């Protein structure tokens, strides 16, 4: 029978502990290949609790050792699982916009300062400066404090540092069209509408059409919508769809989202998602939904060879702040993936051929690279000498739409 372990459960509502207890399962005398039903009264109580209505409630179960063994210590977890009791209340972009207008009071409007080289949209101590040559957000300032590292902009993000498995499958060559692709700005315009400022930038990226739509609300939030329409597939997947880059004609991005670089002092990370360890869409069953507090210095896992690292999945919100609690928060209307590293993607990308570089040789940048993604390719791990990730964990060929909001944190 099961002996020497006890079942511990913790019920949380969006990171806040609601109930916890320990059950001595040894008393149940559960034999091999046998089942035993254990009733946890706190579960139905949490579901019925009106004070928790609208919140995501989870139950974390873990088996812990009651005493030391030859290999493990008392209190160590030998198995765990998480059950979602009530789902997260995702808000659509329209609902968020409406709430932002109410928060900022509709009569207050965003002001525009239009110049030939840049456009500044300001409201309530927050300003967003758009570079008219690139169409990107070049500066975000909150009460005069810069949120973006000088010389870097909020940009589309299509690539990750190839992993050992990526190299094994040749993805760094087959999908190379999305590594620093040529992006051509086709149109840039803005309008003030119902108190909001709406900026639209249209691009050609490889053979795809990319539209970035930004909505600045009176309360200072920035809603970002990233839409990409890919052309019809070419019949010959090994064709010359990107003749100047090579690779597959029907190449897909390794990641889809946006990235930005923040000054080094924005090193504190708070997030609600799967953690605390790095995790990926095909490697996240072990990770638990929760609210975590971390630092940028903890994010990179020192693999022997530099590569993608530090990702978190199922993120509900992600916050980057400095020592005074100032910074930016990111939210979406669906689960997203986020990471923050003291390296640029190209610092971890060592070319199309494996080279004998080591993570110990990396030199941290004086800023933090933040990735806000809809998703990225899974890790694969079927094997490391040719297999792609399973189909459901790949990046499908087709159109993409990603929406998220940037919220000033004061």
């Amino acid at each position: 029978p099961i002996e020497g372990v006890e079942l511990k459960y913790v019920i949380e509502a969006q990171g806040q502990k609601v109930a916890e207890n320990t059950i001595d399962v040894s008393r149940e005398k559960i034999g091999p290949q046998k089942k035993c039903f254990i009733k946890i009264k706190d579960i139905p109580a949490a579901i019925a609790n009106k004070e928790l209505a609208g919140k995501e409630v989870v139950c974390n179960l873990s088996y812990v050792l009651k005493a030391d063994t030859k290999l493990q210590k008392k209190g160590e977890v030998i198995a765990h699982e998480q059950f979602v009791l009530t789902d997260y209340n995702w808000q659509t972009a329209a609902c968020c916009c409406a709430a932002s207008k109410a928060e900022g009071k509709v009569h207050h409007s965003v002001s525009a300062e239009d110049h030939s080289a840049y456009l500044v949209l300001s409201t309530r101590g927050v300003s967003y400066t758009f570079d008219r040559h690139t169409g990107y957000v070049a500066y975000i300032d909150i009460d005069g404090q810069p949120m973006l590292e000088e010389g870097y902009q909020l940009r589309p993000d299509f690539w990750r540092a190839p992993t050992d498995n990526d190299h094994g499958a040749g993805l760094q060559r087959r999908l190379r069209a999305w590594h620093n692709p040529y992006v051509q700005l086709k149109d840039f315009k803005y309008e003030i509408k119902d108190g909001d400022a709406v900026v639209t930038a249209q691009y050609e990226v490889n053979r795809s059409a990319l539209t970035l739509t930004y909505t600045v609300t009176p309360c200072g939030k920035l809603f970002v919508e990233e839409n990409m329409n890919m052309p019809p597939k070419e019949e010959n997947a090994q064709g010359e769809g990107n003749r100047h880059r090579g690779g597959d004609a029907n190449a897909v991005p390794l990641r889809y989202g946006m990235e930005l670089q923040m000054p080094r002092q924005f090193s504190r990370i708070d997030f609600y998602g799967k953690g605390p360890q790095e995790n990926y869409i095909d490697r996240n069953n072990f990770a638990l939904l929760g609210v975590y507090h971390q630092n940028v210095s903890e994010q990179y896992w020192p693999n022997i060879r530099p590569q993608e690292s530090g990702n978190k999945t199922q993120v509900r919100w992600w916050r980057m702040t400095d020592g005074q609690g100032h910074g930016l928060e990111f939210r979406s209307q669906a689960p997203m993936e986020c990471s923050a590293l003291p390296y640029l993607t190209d610092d971890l990308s060592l070319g199309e051929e494996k080279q004998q570089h080591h993570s110990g040789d990396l030199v941290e940048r004086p800023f933090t690279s933040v990735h806000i993604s809809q998703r990225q390719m899974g890790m694969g791990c079927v094997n490391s000498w040719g297999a792609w990730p399973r189909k459901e964990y790949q990046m499908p060929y087709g159109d993409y739409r990603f929406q998220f909001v940037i919220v000033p944190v004061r």
Side-chain angles (χ1 to χ4, degrees):
I2 294 180
E3 295 179 343
V5 297
E6 53 190 11
L7 176 63
K8 181 178 180 179
Y9 69 86
V10 178
I11 299 175
E12 295 181 347
Q14 297 185 183
Q16 297 296 317
K17 189 181 297 183
V18 175
E20 66 177 331
N21 209 338
T22 301
I23 301 172
D24 188 355
V25 293
S26 299
R27 297 178 180 178
E28 304 296 333
K29 306 296 181 182
I30 307 171
Q33 306 299 316
K34 300 297 182 181
K35 294 181 180 180
C36 177
F37 292 94
I38 298 175
K39 187 174 182 179
I40 300 177
K41 296 181 179 179
D42 285 327
I43 291 180
I47 295 174
N49 190 339
K50 293 182 179 180
E51 294 183 1
L52 304 180
K55 294 185 177 181
E56 184 172 37
V57 180
V58 301
C59 178
N60 299 325
L61 300 177
S62 58
Y63 283 101
V64 299
L65 293 176
K66 295 172 62 177
D68 291 350
T69 68
K70 293 181 178 180
L71 297 178
Q72 295 173 291
K73 298 293 184 180
K74 176 183 177 180
E76 286 193 26
V77 176
I78 60 173
H80 70 82
E81 186 58 275
Q82 182 179 69
F83 297 93
V84 177
L85 306 181
T86 60
D87 293 330
Y88 188 75
N89 183 24
W90 298 100
Q91 287 192 323
T92 64
C95 289
C96 287
C97 254
S100 295
K101 283 187 178 182
E103 183 182 343
K105 296 186 173 49
V106 178
H107 66 266
H108 186 82
S109 180
V110 177
S111 64
E113 184 181 335
D114 196 359
H115 299 269
S116 60
Y118 60 92
L119 168 70
V120 182
L121 301 176
S122 304
T123 177
R124 303 198 169 203
V126 182
S127 65
Y128 299 93
T129 302
F130 291 81
D131 183 338
R132 280 186 167 275
H133 297 295
T134 64
Y136 301 144
V137 177
Y139 299 93
I140 300 176
D141 297 289
I142 301 176
D143 299 326
Q145 183 179 16
M147 296 291 117
L148 298 186
E149 179 73 7
E150 181 72 29
Y152 293 87
Q153 302 180 350
L154 175 64
R155 303 173 60 90
D157 190 13
F158 304 114
W159 196 250
R160 74 176 180 208
T163 65
D164 285 335
N165 289 349
D166 292 339
H167 278 279
L171 300 186
Q172 79 284 2
R173 290 188 296 271
R174 301 184 66 173
L175 307 182
R176 69 177 69 159
W178 293 100
H179 181 207
N180 296 325
Y182 176 68
V183 180
Q184 184 178 10
L185 179 63
K186 293 291 189 178
D187 187 48
F188 180 88
K189 59 185 179 182
Y190 83 97
E191 63 176 336
I192 305 296
K193 185 177 181 181
D194 298 330
D196 294 339
V198 181
V199 177
T200 304
Q202 295 180 320
Y203 305 85
E204 181 180 337
V205 185
N206 293 337
R207 298 180 298 129
S208 302
L210 175 69
T211 301
L212 297 177
T213 304
Y214 307 89
T215 302
V216 180
T217 67
C219 66
K221 295 179 182 179
L222 177 66
F223 289 84
V224 182
E225 182 171 335
E226 181 185 19
N227 290 332
M228 186 169 69
N229 297 316
M230 302 182 77
K233 268 190 173 183
E234 292 192 10
E235 292 185 9
N236 179 8
Q238 298 290 338
E240 299 181 355
N242 293 284
R243 292 175 175 82
H244 67 292
R245 299 297 303 274
D248 287 3
N250 297 324
V252 295
L254 275 172
R255 174 170 20 209
Y256 185 74
M258 303 283 284
E259 70 169 313
L260 63 153
Q261 281 67 43
M262 301 182 69
R264 172 178 277 172
Q265 68 263 30
F266 298 98
S267 60
R268 178 182 170 87
I269 303 170
D270 301 285
F271 73 96
Y272 179 27
K274 286 212 165 190
Q277 310 94 327
E278 68 173 16
N279 55 87
Y280 296 82
I281 54 175
D282 57 351
R283 288 293 180 275
N284 67 0
N285 285 341
F286 67 90
L288 301 179
L289 274 175
V291 175
Y292 298 99
H293 311 286
Q294 300 179 351
N295 195 281
V296 171
S297 62
E298 304 167 334
Q299 300 305 298
Y300 182 75
W301 180 259
N303 297 288
I304 299 299
R305 184 181 292 106
Q307 54 194 284
E308 160 64 30
S309 186
N311 192 63
K312 307 295 191 300
T313 64
Q314 292 290 315
V315 175
R316 280 75 170 122
W317 53 260
W318 182 274
R319 185 183 302 137
M320 303 292 305
T321 55
D322 60 12
Q324 286 69 49
H326 303 152
L328 299 175
E329 182 176 292
F330 307 87
R331 291 177 177 268
S332 184
Q333 61 182 14
M336 57 183 179
E337 302 186 21
C338 301
S339 65
L341 294 171
Y343 308 109
L344 293 172
T345 298
D346 279 353
D347 293 338
L348 309 177
S349 303
L350 303 176
E352 294 188 3
E353 300 297 331
K354 275 191 176 182
Q355 302 178 40
Q356 296 309 314
H357 292 272
H358 302 89
S359 288
D361 299 327
L362 292 170
V363 177
E364 291 188 359
R365 295 276 186 166
F367 52 75
T368 298
S369 287
V370 182
H371 299 269
I372 309 297
S373 308
Q374 184 179 51
R375 66 178 285 166
Q376 67 168 283
M377 184 90 76
M379 290 290 100
C381 302
V382 177
N383 62 52
S384 59
W385 53 87
W388 287 49
R390 280 170 34 180
K391 187 174 182 179
E392 64 266 36
Y393 303 125
Q394 296 179 20
M395 297 290 287
Y397 188 94
D399 298 339
Y400 286 85
R401 185 187 185 198
F402 180 41
Q403 295 177 313
F404 66 96
V405 59
I406 300 177
V407 183
V409 179
R410 289 168 152 143

